Amino acid sequence: MVSKENTVYQSVLICDSFHNYFGPIGEHYPSCLVPLINRPVIEYALDSLRVSGIQEVYIFASTHADLIRSYVNKHWTPQCNEDFNIFVYSSDHYFSLGEILRDLFSKAVIRNDFVLIYGDTVCNLPFKQYLDDFKALRLKDKLCVMAHLFRLSSPLHRTRRKDDESIAVLQASDKRLLCYEKIHLKKIDLDLLLFQNNKDVEVHFDLQDTHISICSLSVLSLFADNFDYQTRDDFIKGIMGQEEILGNTIYAKILDSPYYAARAVSPIAYDAISRDILQRWTYPNVPDLLMNYAYLRNHIYKEGISNITAGSILSRNIAIGDKTEIGANVEIHYSVLGSNVRIGNNVRIEGAYIWDNVIIEDNCTIKTSIIGKNVIIKASTNINNGCLIADNVILGPNVNIKEISYIDSKHRDEDDPGILEVLQQIDAKNLGESAKGFVWIDDGREDGQEESDGGSFSPEIWGLPPDESEQGISSASSSENEQSDDEYEYDYKFGDGDDGDDQKRYYAEVVDSLIRGIECKIACENLIVEINASKHAYNIQYKDVAFLVSRAIIDAVSKLANQEGKATAGKIKEMVKHLSPLYVNYIRDDQGKIDCLKAMEEFTVSVMNQSSSIPILVHFISYLYDDSVLDEDTIIRWHQRMEILYSPVSEIDQYVIEQKSLRSHAIMLKFIEWLKTAEEESESD
Amino acid sequence: MSFGIQAIVLAAGRGSRIPELVSSQPKCLLPIGNRPMIYYPLHALESCKFSVVTIVINEGQKEAVSEAIYNHFDTRTMTNRIGWFLLPNKDEDYGTADTLRLMHEQKQISSDFLVISCDTLTNYPLYQLVSSYHIRDAAITCLLSSSNIISDGSTPGKKGKPVLEKDLIGIDYQNNDRLVFFNSELVFDEDIPFSISMLKRCPQFIIHNNFLDTHIYIIKKWVLDYLAEKRQFKSIKANLIPRLVREQFKSNVIQNKTTYDSEVENKYKVDLLDYVEEDEIYKAIENLDNFNLSHVTVNPDTKEKKKVYPDSAVKCYAVIQRDGISLRANTVTGYFEANKRLRAIFPNLPVKDKTSVPSTPTTPNVGPPVKVQIGADCLVSPSSRIGDKTSIKRSCIGDHCLIGEKAKIANCVIMNHVTVEAGCNIQGSIICNNAVICSSAEIKDCIVAANHKIATYGQFSNEVIPPTFVDASDDL
């Protein structure tokens, strides 16, 4: 047992991103072993943990676990002393954070508060202090289970992942997390109660998730108790949901400069973090302090001896590894070159990450791409934005690799030499004559990892011009703004109030089943069962059903009638006859009759082409009259009294005009006239 | 000093939230601390030396209101030049926005203006609000108070704690207290929608639910032109401000007026941005900025740059009163609290000139009462007669009241011409004009309406005691 005075500072390092964002490169490396400025990412993470006073690190790995284990054994175990110990656990079952933490719980190696961090994190945080702070916080709030670290960054910051945007709602006084939601749409709904029950509420969209948490031991037991918690977001949601029952709380800790933390989880983040390091935002995590790089002006870093021919241009933000040779008339901007890279003459490199031992021959152009180790790019090859080239690929000569190409040296079906040969021929056309490589195809779904990741949101693609996405924001927002102009003046077409969406969906479903019912001649009893079932599903009130169903029938019938060319009276009559049990079922009182008429009128008005739709309406009314679903009194009463239809607010005047023209349409008047005389006749009988 | 802005006191409210209290007189004349309610906004304006003040009242009330005002202000020293605007008596109630629209149509508003409601009591120095308006070039500047004391108060006539409607007010403290969210909680059902484009521009703000909207706004004149078109806007607070606040996040280039006029006018689409008039000075400053930039990026085509938050053409700002007290006497709770806290809000109110109170011969002029206990925090009108051995604590007693012997009054508001007979015990109640409380009645946490008579030994608690014999409208 460890006595209280002798607290061991512990950390859990998750070396798996549970999703391969790096395409072909991810086949060779886990994201934490990708070289970032010529140094594996995990080294940054381990280094900052060690420097900040963490004494025990538990590494959990699943994919590429052997690589991680051997890396740690080779680079860290020899130096480990009493004060910094690394333990590596690996298992194929670690396919989510939840699984890992449940396993960790059963191992019982964590004895007090710990730091939960991912292996691909670059940060410069004082974890020891955070753990002490957290301890103090837990003395104040005994039910606090987690403090989550956020970094302040503007919504357009380059390290923000568009697929990882979230909104955090905090209590202003003590930064308690009240709500944390991922954003998938252009709009987010926050619970009104949040604002009613808390006096001052901070809404943050300027927080970037660092995926670093300071956790108490109860986090592990909570994960163990709730088998459905897969991700940290599940956990946060669960804690928020059960707050009233368990009272557990989560706090947010907001990092501001000079603290830095970001995950190099995808090529976009990798690119952004590389630039941050080169521009020294991550200080002291910069190449000249971590490695043997010399720091020159314009953020150029050089290691050891590199042979750069005079006349080549190195603009700014460049790191060049040991023993790298650069030919004549070469231009390099914003790029990182590994060691032993050989670059020919007349080469232009812009925003590229070129790893060790790469050979680039003369007259090549490389833009915003990652080139893996030992790659050979033959002469006069262009590599465009967003390409990911895995280790050992050979490309060229004389080809243009188009944007966002993912190329691997091996093919998944490499055991089958026949296929391989065919593929080689196909790819030779695209990748060059002496190429060795295959276009990589994403099949990440095979092991079901994607589902556990919870992202139906398609991840951003690296390499698209950055201004495009930004323009997207402003143009989309301006158009959206016009839409949201009348945001609060609800303008649902039918129904009043908030359940308009449900009604729309219910309505669409009813129309579908009616069309199917007419086409396949399904018995009306079955249709009624179907309509009732969806009524419950969408929580539609009984009083609305008569209206919705009547509207749906005329909608369905006129759709079908118009489909077959000219709408003939006979066809309509046939269909109405088929569906008449529906009317009998749903229209039971006078209010129902009025609703039915109003529904049909509203539909007719909403249809653009009035000349054809008014006759259909009149036909409908007359059939229903014949079927004695409707009676003369109701119809005449309806015709005399103008009632305002449900209509979009913006078009209300338009609707009134059309309603008038409908009521005074010749056919309609004729019909009403006929009805009146029929009534008189029946009276005189 | 005029500040270049006109002050408008909205005093035509009918007191729809306090029907119990307004049966015998217009709302703006309800006594608070023995002064008519309208005294307080005028006092606030007067102490900042506003020179142009327009009072909006209902037709037919001018005489009563102006008499009340001149009783309390010395017309010789007053800097206010009071103008009147009479709202025609119609069945429909004029909303605050409707009132402004009507005033605009009759050319009664000639400059940017300050709107204050007659039920607002504040000790915030309004010149600070005016300065902030001048500095920020805001379309609208709202005065909010961070100390919302009303929420702790109790309400006579009702059981339990009052449930008051909360305003949800979002403020962007990163951008000089920009107002980014302004809605009543009742607008929403369960969720509050936020659009991502808004969040992108304003990524951090705080939503307060305990801020008091003092209903003091400074509004630019061009907003009236917009309001004139938007006929569906009834209220400043409920319609106009929420819309202006939302418009801040609309990105658009200010269009030239001429191009707008020549286009086919679409009556259904009223775009606020077409009405924005830029201040010339601010425009000049902006041009200077552009001039500096133009050395770097010379591009004459993009001269009209896109204006997005926080540089949007429409700007709404909040001014927050951190210390000091404001409250609104538009609910029973608010009215009651206003009376109780009057000394705290206005510790230095000028002593009422005794001569200004018309003396009524009916008041019998007898010697000073004996053994009376009147707390230091009480306001008792000198024209009232207090009987022997009475005890009055934390209460206001209006003009010409008669308080009988051995009566006990605590935490009460007693309006004018009220008779409290001997031995009554009244606590936490509001007694309206001309009410009579017969001897030995016990009343706790009640509202006694105007002209009502409470029988001897009557006992009431937590009730609104209705009037018996006089119709409200007769008395006006």
Side-chain angles (χ1 to χ4, degrees):
Chain A
M1 276 300 288
V2 182
S3 68
K4 271 191 179 169
E5 293 77 40
N6 192 14
T7 316
V8 179
Y9 292 96
Q10 293 175 311
S11 169
V12 174
L13 191 70
I14 311 290
C15 286
D16 198 325
S17 55
F18 308 115
H19 182 81
N20 178 15
Y21 292 98
F22 277 95
I25 292 170
E27 305 282 335
H28 298 258
Y29 300 96
S31 68
C32 58
L33 286 184
V34 165
L36 182 72
I37 319 284
N38 305 329
R39 187 173 187 252
V41 186
I42 193 174
E43 211 160 314
Y44 290 89
L46 285 172
D47 237 11
S48 39
L49 288 172
R50 186 173 59 86
V51 168
S52 64
I54 300 292
Q55 289 154 309
E56 289 180 0
V57 178
Y58 296 87
I59 292 180
F60 285 82
S62 172
T63 10
H64 300 295
D66 45 335
L67 285 177
I68 292 167
R69 196 181 283 274
S70 66
Y71 165 80
V72 170
N73 286 339
K74 195 172 156 199
H75 290 88
W76 289 87
T77 323
Q79 312 161 12
C80 280
N81 49 28
E82 276 171 28
D83 254 7
F84 191 64
N85 291 303
I86 301 178
F87 308 92
V88 181
Y89 296 103
S90 61
S91 161
D92 293 341
H93 298 294
Y94 295 156
F95 48 77
S96 78
L97 179 67
E99 295 303 325
I100 290 174
L101 293 184
R102 278 187 275 277
D103 193 46
L104 178 63
F105 180 67
S106 63
K107 285 190 164 56
V109 289
I110 299 291
R111 294 178 297 267
N112 37 46
D113 300 343
F114 62 98
V115 177
L116 180 64
I117 182 172
Y118 280 85
D120 45 16
T121 308
V122 176
C123 63
N124 56 0
L125 308 174
F127 288 112
K128 193 173 173 181
Q129 190 201 324
Y130 288 170
L131 282 168
D132 290 340
D133 291 350
F134 184 67
K135 210 169 168 186
L137 181 69
R138 281 210 299 132
L139 286 178
K140 271 195 281 178
D141 180 355
K142 292 220 160 49
L143 289 165
C144 158
V145 292
M146 185 189 262
H148 192 66
L149 271 55
F150 292 101
R151 190 169 132 235
L152 214 54
S153 70
S154 109
L156 300 174
H157 195 276
R158 61 185 171 202
T159 48
R160 282 178 79 130
R161 283 160 59 198
K162 298 288 178 293
D163 50 342
D164 192 25
E165 298 283 28
S166 52
I167 188 163
V169 181
L170 313 178
Q171 181 107 294
S173 51
D174 57 3
K175 309 284 179 217
R176 191 156 65 81
L177 199 61
L178 298 172
C179 172
Y180 181 75
E181 295 231 14
K182 287 257 178 280
I183 292 177
H184 298 294
L185 303 166
K186 280 190 173 169
K187 211 180 81 179
I188 183 154
D189 292 328
L190 296 177
D191 193 347
L192 178 61
L193 286 173
L194 285 176
F195 302 99
Q196 287 175 323
N197 297 343
N198 300 287
K199 270 205 307 194
D200 307 310
V201 179
E202 280 180 27
V203 179
H204 280 281
F205 189 60
D206 56 351
L207 295 183
Q208 191 186 339
D209 193 353
T210 61
H211 293 268
I212 303 172
S213 309
I214 314 290
C215 307
S216 73
L217 273 180
S218 29
V219 170
L220 295 182
S221 53
L222 282 166
F223 263 102
D225 291 348
N226 295 281
F227 273 91
D228 52 334
Y229 290 176
Q230 292 301 328
T231 63
R232 195 211 55 211
D233 291 340
D234 290 345
F235 176 77
I236 292 180
K237 222 172 205 132
I239 294 294
M240 299 289 157
Q242 296 175 343
E243 200 191 333
E244 275 157 34
I245 309 162
L246 296 174
N248 288 331
T249 52
I250 298 177
Y251 285 81
K253 189 166 182 66
I254 297 174
L255 310 174
D256 205 348
S257 87
Y259 294 118
Y260 183 92
R263 280 184 69 192
V265 71
S266 66
I268 296 178
Y270 175 88
D271 182 27
I273 292 172
S274 300
R275 289 178 186 217
D276 283 346
I277 294 175
L278 292 175
Q279 293 171 8
R280 307 178 82 76
W281 293 106
T282 57
Y283 190 87
N285 288 325
V286 287
D288 47 319
L289 294 182
L290 295 174
M291 296 167 279
N292 293 323
Y293 277 77
Y295 173 42
L296 311 176
R297 65 178 290 194
N298 284 340
H299 297 309
I300 293 173
Y301 302 83
K302 279 185 197 164
E303 186 188 28
I305 332 144
S306 50
N307 189 358
I308 301 170
T309 313
S312 291
I313 299 167
L314 305 182
S315 68
R316 56 181 68 222
N317 300 337
I318 295 165
I320 297 173
D322 197 15
K323 301 189 189 88
T324 287
E325 288 174 24
I326 297 176
N329 198 18
V330 170
E331 257 186 68
I332 302 177
H333 309 280
Y334 308 97
S335 298
V336 175
L337 276 58
S339 50
N340 286 320
V341 173
R342 269 184 288 146
I343 294 174
N345 301 330
N346 301 320
V347 173
R348 188 184 159 85
I349 297 172
E350 203 178 324
Y353 299 90
I354 296 166
W355 296 354
D356 296 350
N357 308 324
V358 170
I359 297 170
I360 298 174
E361 295 184 354
D362 295 353
N363 305 321
C364 288
T365 305
I366 298 168
K367 281 183 195 161
T368 320
S369 297
I370 297 177
I371 315 288
K373 286 179 185 165
N374 310 322
V375 169
I376 298 170
I377 296 173
K378 304 255 180 187
S380 305
T381 302
N382 285 345
I383 297 182
N384 285 311
N385 288 337
C387 291
L388 301 177
I389 318 285
D391 291 9
N392 309 322
V393 167
I394 300 172
L395 293 175
N398 298 316
V399 285
N400 189 23
I401 309 288
K402 64 177 196 301
E403 288 176 3
I404 314 166
S405 307
Y406 296 168
I407 297 159
D408 196 357
S409 55
K410 290 175 284 184
H411 195 274
R412 210 168 287 279
D413 304 316
E414 64 186 337
D415 305 334
D416 189 341
I419 292 178
L420 217 58
E421 209 164 290
V422 177
L423 283 167
Q424 185 91 51
Q425 281 172 355
I426 297 168
D427 285 346
K429 255 190 240 159
N430 298 325
L431 305 181
E433 279 168 31
S434 47
K436 182 175 156 270
F438 303 93
V439 173
W440 182 80
I441 301 143
D442 184 15
D443 58 349
R445 279 172 202 285
E446 63 172 5
D447 35 13
Q449 288 181 355
E450 208 141 355
E451 278 81 27
S452 67
D453 197 46
S456 56
F457 203 79
S458 63
E460 234 183 328
I461 296 166
W462 183 50
L464 294 172
D467 53 347
E468 189 178 302
S469 56
E470 242 165 75
Q471 264 172 16
I473 291 159
S474 53
S475 66
S477 55
S478 62
S479 64
E480 174 205 342
N481 258 330
E482 273 133 45
Q483 255 181 22
S484 65
D485 199 22
D486 291 288
E487 206 173 340
Y488 298 103
E489 293 157 24
Y490 293 102
D491 57 355
Y492 294 121
K493 206 160 192 174
F494 28 73
D496 38 5
D498 50 328
D499 48 4
D501 272 349
D502 265 356
Q503 292 200 354
K504 273 183 199 166
R505 262 178 270 139
Y506 170 70
Y507 177 76
E509 202 157 289
V510 172
V511 172
D512 282 350
S513 32
L514 285 177
I515 291 180
R516 207 158 29 81
I518 297 167
E519 278 175 342
C520 310
K521 302 253 181 288
I522 296 172
C524 272
E525 295 85 76
N526 296 341
L527 283 176
I528 290 171
V529 171
E530 215 166 292
I531 290 168
N532 283 345
S534 35
K535 179 181 93 183
H536 292 300
Y538 291 107
N539 200 10
I540 302 297
Q541 301 207 336
Y542 178 75
K543 64 179 170 57
D544 297 330
V545 174
F547 181 87
L548 290 170
V549 170
S550 313
R551 193 184 190 279
I553 293 174
I554 188 168
D555 192 351
V557 168
S558 44
K559 251 183 208 155
L560 282 176
N562 287 332
Q563 225 172 42
E564 299 163 19
K566 226 177 119 40
T568 58
K571 262 184 202 151
I572 293 172
K573 189 165 185 176
E574 194 184 309
M575 287 191 267
V576 176
K577 205 161 212 143
H578 175 66
L579 295 175
S580 64
L582 281 177
Y583 284 108
V584 177
N585 186 58
Y586 287 107
I587 298 171
R588 289 177 182 163
D589 50 11
D590 283 351
Q591 187 55 43
K593 288 174 192 167
I594 290 280
D595 277 349
C596 165
L597 280 166
K598 277 204 315 211
M600 293 194 292
E601 182 184 20
E602 195 254 326
F603 170 77
T604 314
V605 169
S606 71
V607 173
M608 283 301 142
N609 183 7
Q610 289 225 348
S611 57
S612 73
S613 59
I614 291 178
I616 294 182
L617 174 68
V618 176
H619 279 305
F620 252 88
I621 297 175
S622 75
Y623 296 143
L624 293 178
Y625 172 70
D626 290 344
D627 264 0
S628 57
V629 174
L630 304 173
D631 52 64
E632 314 99 13
D633 284 351
T634 321
I635 297 172
I636 291 168
R637 197 142 40 95
W638 162 77
H639 188 257
Q640 280 164 351
R641 207 171 344 132
M642 272 279 264
E643 276 186 56
I644 294 193
L645 295 170
Y646 300 116
S647 62
V649 172
S650 53
E651 294 173 29
I652 192 150
D653 298 329
Q654 188 64 23
Y655 266 59
V656 170
I657 296 165
E658 297 213 351
Q659 192 185 7
K660 270 183 192 149
S661 80
L662 179 147
R663 297 259 166 120
S664 55
H665 196 275
I667 303 175
M668 178 63 81
L669 287 178
K670 208 168 150 192
F671 173 70
I672 295 290
E673 198 62 27
W674 173 82
L675 258 188
K676 278 181 184 161
T677 52
E679 192 180 13
E680 277 159 23
E681 271 166 29
S682 63
E683 267 170 22
S684 63
D685 285 347
Chain B
M1 212 179 136
S2 75
F3 305 113
I5 58 179
Q6 175 182 3
I8 297 171
V9 182
L10 298 176
R14 287 160 198 259
S16 52
R17 290 190 189 84
I18 41 173
E20 310 92 315
L21 303 178
V22 294
S23 55
S24 68
Q25 56 193 326
K27 173 184 162 191
C28 63
L29 295 183
L30 272 182
I32 295 177
N34 301 341
R35 287 178 163 93
M37 191 185 268
I38 196 170
Y39 171 83
Y40 297 98
L42 287 174
H43 172 74
L45 295 172
E46 168 72 18
S47 56
C48 292
K49 311 275 183 250
F50 272 86
S51 56
V52 186
V53 176
T54 309
I55 300 177
V56 181
I57 48 171
N58 288 315
E59 221 166 43
Q61 294 176 350
K62 185 178 169 185
E63 224 164 86
V65 176
S66 63
E67 190 195 323
I69 290 171
Y70 293 123
N71 274 340
H72 289 275
F73 287 100
D74 187 351
T75 37
R76 284 160 297 178
T77 58
M78 231 166 115
T79 43
N80 288 344
R81 204 180 69 233
I82 291 181
W84 300 89
F85 183 79
L86 303 180
L87 278 185
N89 272 326
K90 270 203 265 174
D91 292 341
E92 52 172 331
D93 217 356
Y94 281 96
T96 45
D98 296 330
T99 307
L100 289 184
R101 194 179 300 121
L102 198 67
M103 291 177 78
H104 180 57
E105 277 161 11
Q106 301 186 11
K107 306 256 182 292
Q108 294 287 318
I109 301 175
S110 52
S111 60
D112 298 348
F113 54 98
L114 178 145
V115 179
I116 183 167
S117 166
C118 73
D119 53 27
T120 300
L121 283 80
T122 182
N123 54 11
Y124 184 82
L126 289 183
Y127 65 83
Q128 290 185 13
L129 184 71
V130 176
S131 322
S132 141
Y133 142 83
H134 278 304
I135 292 167
R136 290 160 167 178
D137 187 33
I140 186 159
T141 311
C142 301
L143 178 63
L144 308 171
S145 171
S146 63
S147 56
N148 196 352
I149 50 172
I150 290 184
S151 46
D152 322 325
S154 63
T155 313
K158 272 171 206 131
K159 274 188 187 144
K161 276 215 145 191
V163 184
L164 294 165
E165 179 185 337
K166 286 176 188 162
D167 291 321
L168 301 178
I169 296 173
I171 297 172
D172 180 2
Y173 288 101
Q174 322 274 303
N175 281 310
N176 294 323
D177 304 353
R178 279 287 278 275
L179 202 56
V180 294
F181 191 83
F182 189 98
N183 278 301
S184 159
E185 62 180 354
L186 301 180
V187 174
F188 306 101
D189 291 321
E190 278 176 4
D191 292 325
I192 304 182
F194 291 97
S195 75
I196 300 305
S197 62
M198 178 245 179
L199 289 171
K200 282 217 165 98
R201 285 169 202 156
C202 173
Q204 182 185 350
F205 54 95
I206 297 187
I207 292 193
H208 302 276
N209 70 10
N210 63 336
F211 273 20
L212 174 84
D213 170 28
T214 60
H215 210 289
I216 302 179
Y217 314 121
I218 298 184
I219 304 175
K220 288 255 177 197
K221 187 166 181 280
W222 57 258
V223 175
L224 289 173
D225 296 326
Y226 173 67
L227 193 60
E229 291 300 320
K230 280 273 180 187
R231 298 221 147 252
Q232 68 268 39
F233 284 5
K234 287 203 71 74
S235 149
I236 300 176
K237 184 183 162 80
N239 308 122
L240 180 65
I241 299 181
R243 168 55 66 91
L244 289 177
V245 166
R246 278 206 303 283
E247 293 280 346
Q248 294 181 101
F249 297 96
K250 212 166 169 180
S251 60
N252 215 335
V253 185
I254 296 185
Q255 285 171 347
N256 287 333
K257 278 250 165 188
T258 46
T259 60
Y260 176 71
D261 288 339
S262 62
E263 276 171 27
V264 184
E265 261 190 83
N266 188 347
K267 277 193 179 175
Y268 298 103
K269 197 129 181 146
V270 182
D271 191 349
L272 175 65
L273 295 172
D274 295 331
Y275 293 92
V276 175
E277 282 170 18
E278 270 193 297
D279 193 287
E280 279 175 25
I281 294 172
Y282 286 94
K283 222 171 181 172
I285 293 171
E286 214 160 80
N287 285 342
L288 278 178
D289 287 348
N290 290 344
F291 178 74
N292 284 337
L293 284 173
S294 64
H295 292 294
V296 193
T297 51
V298 187
N299 194 349
D301 299 334
T302 57
K303 209 170 156 192
E304 296 224 37
K305 61 174 186 217
K306 251 194 163 177
K307 300 207 162 194
V308 293
Y309 184 90
D311 298 319
S312 47
V314 182
K315 295 189 182 76
C316 303
Y317 282 97
V319 170
I320 299 154
Q321 181 184 24
R322 292 280 175 197
D323 31 46
I325 306 173
S326 296
L327 53 77
R328 291 196 65 194
N330 60 347
T331 56
V332 173
T333 322
Y335 176 75
F336 196 55
E337 283 296 311
N339 277 287
K340 283 204 283 186
R341 307 242 182 183
L342 197 66
R343 280 284 172 86
I345 305 175
F346 301 109
N348 304 319
L349 268 191
V351 181
K352 209 158 84 173
D353 195 357
K354 277 180 191 173
T355 54
S356 69
V357 180
S359 60
T360 36
T362 51
T363 313
N365 214 355
V366 290
V370 268
K371 287 192 183 171
V372 170
Q373 293 181 331
I374 299 182
D377 44 3
C378 292
L379 281 168
V380 179
S381 162
S383 61
S384 287
R385 222 195 105 198
I386 312 292
D388 296 343
K389 294 179 192 163
T390 50
S391 147
I392 302 172
K393 283 172 193 157
R394 294 183 296 279
S395 299
C396 296
I397 295 179
D399 296 333
H400 314 300
C401 292
L402 288 170
I403 311 289
E405 282 175 21
K406 292 181 190 167
K408 278 187 188 164
I409 296 172
N411 282 323
C412 286
V413 177
I414 294 181
M415 296 188 191
N416 303 329
H417 301 283
V418 173
T419 307
V420 177
E421 293 185 352
C424 287
N425 186 355
I426 308 175
Q427 286 178 19
S429 300
I430 300 174
I431 316 290
C432 296
N433 288 341
N434 302 324
V436 177
I437 317 285
C438 291
S439 58
S440 304
E442 290 203 11
I443 298 174
K444 197 162 175 266
D445 300 329
C446 287
I447 298 174
V448 179
N451 307 317
H452 189 67
K453 189 170 180 178
I454 301 268
T456 313
Y457 292 108
Q459 288 201 353
F460 297 92
S461 66
N462 293 316
E463 271 180 69
V464 178
I465 305 163
T468 44
F469 50 88
V470 172
D471 192 342
S473 52
D474 292 355
D475 218 332
L476 288 181

